[in-house]
Every structure is written in structure tokens, then in C-alpha cells.
Amino acid sequence: TRVPVDLYYSTNQRSFIRIGSAEDQVKRFVILNDRLRQVPSEQLRDTATYKYNRYGEIHPGMMSERTYQEYYRDKFTKMKTPVGGYSLLLMPEQLRTFIGPKTNIPTNASADVLRANAAIQQWYGEYSLPAEPYVVQAGTNLAEYGRTHGGLDAKSPIFLKNGYIVVNFNLESIQEGNLGAPHLQYIHAPLMNQWLLEGFQRQVEDSYGNSFTLRDGDVVFYHADRSSRDDFSAQVPH
């Protein structure tokens, strides 16, 4: 049975912070050209070429195209890009590359090679829940529970342990940072549902044979009784 939940996490400074609340102030960052992300060098070079020639930020007299490509690859794409927090994932233009065609473009096409290459984009991001999330039914007053039950800790029975935490994404594009007026929608668009268009499966089965009915946008399942810290253990080398 699917149950709406609230997720909490703790930091060294504060315990039981609800994701999405005013106290939820964790800032997250992504590095595009991270070694483990393995972004193809051709994508980085093509994106740098477009930015150099079309963005108007770099005057040709300031640096050559080759120099800018190297700066973009070795410096710019290795900077930390802010992407929001746990309740909102932002993917700004610093995290996209251009992967469109560069050959076989019709001679009568209105777009040149640079524009054709920029017409298809690949966006890079990452998301995770806190290492040890605490799960309760949505709307639960944790402070009141702690007051009436002699306190609150990680083992309190109010926390849900059985089942999965399902992370549902609502994808939108925005302009000029206006979150309240999305430019494009992925699911609630007037004429089409992109999840269905791409073959999203609403019935899935896990490795234990349990069947689940999904909603459009359900992307990630987390075990409610486990932590990412379970994947690591301290060992002393000999």
C-alpha cells in the first residue's frame, strides 16, 4: 500500500530536520567534468566551441578558440555548480553538453553546424537522499510525539522501516529562474505525457517477486530500513 511520507535527517548541529521545511538548508553541488562521470571529451570540446562562438562572452582577441576549449575542459567544468537541495534538484546550463549532428546537414538547412550540434543536449545531474533518512507518515508531528513519548531517537517506533521510499520526479524547464511558471512540463503538458511517450512501465516487479504499481515520475526506490553507510565499513589494513 502506497503511503505519503515525510522524510527527516539529522546533522551534527540539529536533529530531525524535515526535507522541504525552512530548516532544510543543505546545499548540494555537482561537478560536470568529474572523473567518475566520464563525460566524453568530444562533448566538452563541442560545447566549448559553441559557447566561444555564440555566447558573446569571449572576445576573439582575449583568447583563441583552442585556449578557451582547454579552459572550459580543465577549469570551468571542474567547478562546483549549485543544484539545490533534497526537495528541489536544479540543473542549470553549466551541466549540459551539446550532442547534436555535425555532419550530413542539408545544404538548404537554416541552421549551421554549430546550431545543429546545439539542438540536441545532454544534461548531467545526480540525486540522493540523506545517508540515514527517517520516514514517517506525511503530516506527523514529530515534536509532539517526542513530548508525549519520553523523547525521540532513531529507534523510536514511529519511524517506518518496512518497504521502499519511492522518489517521484516532476520534470520542468524554467526561464530566468522563475520556478512558479514552468516553461515546459514533462508530465502535465496539455497535449502529451513524456513518460508514456518514452515507454514508462507502470507495473514492475522487484527481485523478491513483489509487484508494484508506479505513478508517472517514480524513478528511484530506497530501502526504508537501510542506509548508504551500510555499504561501507571501517577496516584496519595489515
Side-chain angles (χ1 to χ4, degrees):
T1 302
R2 189 173 182 126
V3 178
V5 298
D6 289 331
L7 299 185
Y8 288 77
Y9 64 94
S10 296
T11 66
N12 292 333
Q13 293 75 35
R14 190 183 182 98
S15 298
F16 302 116
I17 302 168
R18 182 172 61 84
I19 291 179
S21 68
E23 292 76 25
D24 178 19
Q25 295 294 317
V26 170
K27 305 299 181 185
R28 312 183 78 190
F29 301 87
V30 167
I31 297 174
L32 173 61
N33 193 14
D34 183 88
R35 179 178 60 86
L36 296 179
R37 207 176 308 284
Q38 297 183 333
V39 179
S41 58
E42 182 180 7
Q43 289 186 22
L44 298 175
R45 183 174 61 252
D46 290 344
T47 304
T49 299
Y50 184 89
K51 290 168 70 74
Y52 179 84
N53 287 281
R54 296 298 168 85
Y55 272 28
E57 299 174 354
I58 304 296
H59 189 277
M62 298 171 59
M63 66 174 67
S64 67
E65 183 175 314
R66 174 73 176 273
T67 301
Y68 181 75
Q69 289 174 344
E70 293 173 350
Y71 161 77
Y72 180 80
R73 180 194 64 209
D74 299 333
K75 300 291 185 181
F76 184 84
T77 57
K78 292 186 178 181
M79 298 178 183
K80 290 183 177 180
T81 298
V83 294
Y86 291 121
S87 62
L88 177 67
L89 174 62
L90 297 172
M91 296 173 63
E93 67 93 14
Q94 292 94 325
L95 299 179
R96 72 175 174 184
T97 59
F98 300 138
I99 60 173
K102 294 182 290 184
T103 59
N104 299 322
I105 299 172
T107 55
N108 61 345
S110 59
D112 59 11
V113 173
L114 286 177
R115 186 68 188 89
N117 179 245
I120 303 177
Q121 305 167 3
Q122 183 160 343
W123 295 74
Y124 292 86
E126 59 187 61
Y127 181 81
S128 63
L129 291 179
E132 292 186 76
Y134 303 99
V135 189
V136 296
Q137 289 196 25
T140 298
N141 188 329
L142 272 193
E144 179 64 14
Y145 178 90
R147 187 185 69 82
T148 57
H149 289 76
L152 185 71
D153 60 33
K155 296 182 179 180
S156 295
I158 194 173
F159 295 121
L160 305 177
K161 297 292 186 180
N162 297 324
Y164 296 98
I165 303 168
V166 183
V167 181
N168 182 280
F169 285 92
N170 176 31
L171 304 183
E172 300 174 339
S173 67
I174 59 174
Q175 293 181 325
E176 299 180 355
N178 188 352
L179 297 175
H183 175 59
L184 295 173
Q185 285 268 357
Y186 205 77
I187 178 175
H188 302 299
L191 300 178
M192 67 177 64
N193 180 326
Q194 291 291 330
W195 294 107
L196 296 181
L197 191 65
E198 296 183 7
F200 184 80
Q201 300 296 314
R202 290 176 172 169
Q203 290 292 139
V204 297
E205 186 176 287
D206 67 12
S207 57
Y208 303 103
N210 300 309
S211 296
F212 299 90
T213 299
L214 304 185
R215 297 176 182 174
D216 297 334
D218 288 347
V219 174
V220 184
F221 278 52
Y222 283 85
H223 286 277
D225 61 343
R226 297 183 185 177
S227 163
S228 61
R229 294 195 176 101
D230 298 336
D231 295 334
F232 304 94
S233 61
Q235 295 183 348
V236 178
H238 296 282

